[in-house]
Amino acid sequence: VGIKGLRFPVEVREKSGSTQRTVATAALTVDLPAHLKGTHMSRFVEALNEQGGILDVNSVENLPRNLLARLSAKRAHVEFQFPFFISKAAPVSGRMGVVDYEVRFTVDVDADKGCDFVLTVMVPVATLCPCSKAISERGAHNQRGTVTYSVRSSSPIAIEELISIAERSASCELYSVLKRPDEKAVTERAYDNPVFVEDVVRNVAAYSNAHEKITWYHIEVENFESI
C-alpha cells in the first residue's frame, strides 16, 4: 500500500559531489502488516519531505528505512525516476551543450534482509547498421536508439559512469550542439563503429562483466528505425 505518480522537486548528487536540481516522479509503498487494516497515507509524504529532496546513490536506503519506522512495516519500496543532465563538449569545436538522460532509483528495504538497490539509466545513442554498410557502395543506414541499463553493485556507482558505459557501447554518443567539424567527426565515428542492437547489448555486458563493483545487470536496447 502506498502512493505513486507523485512529482517532487529534488536535487541529485553528481559524481563530482555537487548537485543538480530536477523533478522526480516518486512511488513509495510498504508491505502492510497482517494485523493492520490500513496505513497512514500522509506519512509517506511527510517522510519524503523529511528526506530533504536529496537523491544520492550513497544514501538511497534512508527514505525506505524511515518508512519502516513510521509505518511499523517490515518491508518498504521506493522508486524515483527523473531527468538527469550532463554538460558535454562537442568532439572538435568544444562547444558546450546539455544532454538529458532518464534515471531511475529502485530501492527495497527489508527489516530482516537489508537493502536492495537497482540503478537504471536510459541513454540515447546513435547506431550504424553493419548490414547497410556491408551492402552499400556509399554511406550506411543509421538510427537513434535507447539503451536501458540496470545494475546492482557491491558499492555505489555514479550515474555518470553507467551512462558512459552505454555510450561507449554504441556507434557514437549524442551531443546537443554540433558545428560542421563536429558533424563530420560523429558521422565518421559512427561509420567506423557499426553495431546491431545485439552488439550494443554484448558491449554493455562485456563492460559490466569486467567491472569490479557490478554484481548483476539487465540490458535492453531499442533502435528507432529511420529508413
Side-chain angles (χ1 to χ4, degrees):
V1 62
I3 59 175
K4 67 177 184 178
L6 177 65
R7 287 167 59 83
F8 194 79
V10 296
E11 292 184 53
V12 181
R13 187 79 62 190
E14 299 174 343
K15 186 178 182 179
S16 64
S18 59
T19 62
Q20 64 171 264
R21 291 175 177 155
T22 186
V23 176
T25 300
L28 301 86
T29 61
V30 296
D31 286 4
L32 188 67
H35 65 280
L36 295 180
K37 296 180 67 176
T39 192
H40 302 276
M41 302 302 292
S42 61
R43 294 183 184 177
F44 289 98
V45 181
E46 289 172 347
L48 184 57
N49 284 319
E50 287 180 2
Q51 180 76 6
I54 299 291
L55 296 182
D56 188 339
V57 294
N58 296 288
S59 56
V60 292
E61 62 184 88
N62 291 346
L63 178 56
R65 289 200 181 280
N66 189 357
L67 292 176
L68 293 184
R70 278 180 166 273
L71 297 165
S72 303
K74 291 291 186 181
R75 185 169 176 267
H77 173 87
V78 172
E79 183 173 295
F80 290 96
Q81 184 161 324
F82 51 90
F84 183 80
F85 300 90
I86 295 179
S87 294
K88 296 171 65 174
V92 179
S93 69
R95 298 294 180 89
M96 298 300 298
V98 176
V99 179
D100 70 288
Y101 308 84
E102 280 292 311
V103 178
R104 183 165 60 240
F105 287 5
T106 306
V107 193
D108 277 289
V109 169
D110 188 294
D112 299 320
K113 299 179 181 178
C115 177
D116 177 47
F117 172 45
V118 176
L119 172 60
T120 301
V121 294
M122 285 150 269
V123 182
V125 295
T127 61
L128 186 131
C129 176
C131 180
S132 174
K133 180 177 179 179
I135 66 175
S136 302
E137 294 182 7
R138 297 179 302 278
H141 164 53
N142 62 79
Q143 61 271 309
R144 294 290 183 93
T146 299
V147 180
T148 302
Y149 180 30
S150 303
V151 305
R152 291 185 174 97
S153 58
S154 57
S155 58
I157 298 177
I159 296 168
E160 294 94 327
E161 188 171 349
L162 294 190
I163 290 172
S164 176
I165 289 174
E167 290 182 330
R168 281 181 281 148
S169 299
S171 295
C172 187
E173 62 186 283
L174 300 185
Y175 302 86
S176 61
V177 176
L178 291 176
K179 307 303 285 184
R180 290 296 187 193
D182 304 309
E183 186 176 355
K184 178 178 184 295
V186 299
T187 299
E188 292 174 348
R189 185 187 302 174
Y191 190 79
D192 290 337
N193 295 281
V195 288
F196 295 116
V197 286
E198 299 93 333
D199 297 319
V200 181
V201 170
R202 293 185 188 102
N203 292 341
V204 176
Y207 282 118
S208 302
N209 290 336
H211 199 291
E212 61 181 7
K213 292 183 180 180
I214 294 175
T215 58
W216 172 95
Y217 58 85
H218 182 270
I219 310 156
E220 296 180 14
V221 180
E222 180 181 8
N223 276 349
F224 307 104
E225 296 294 341
S226 59
I227 192 169

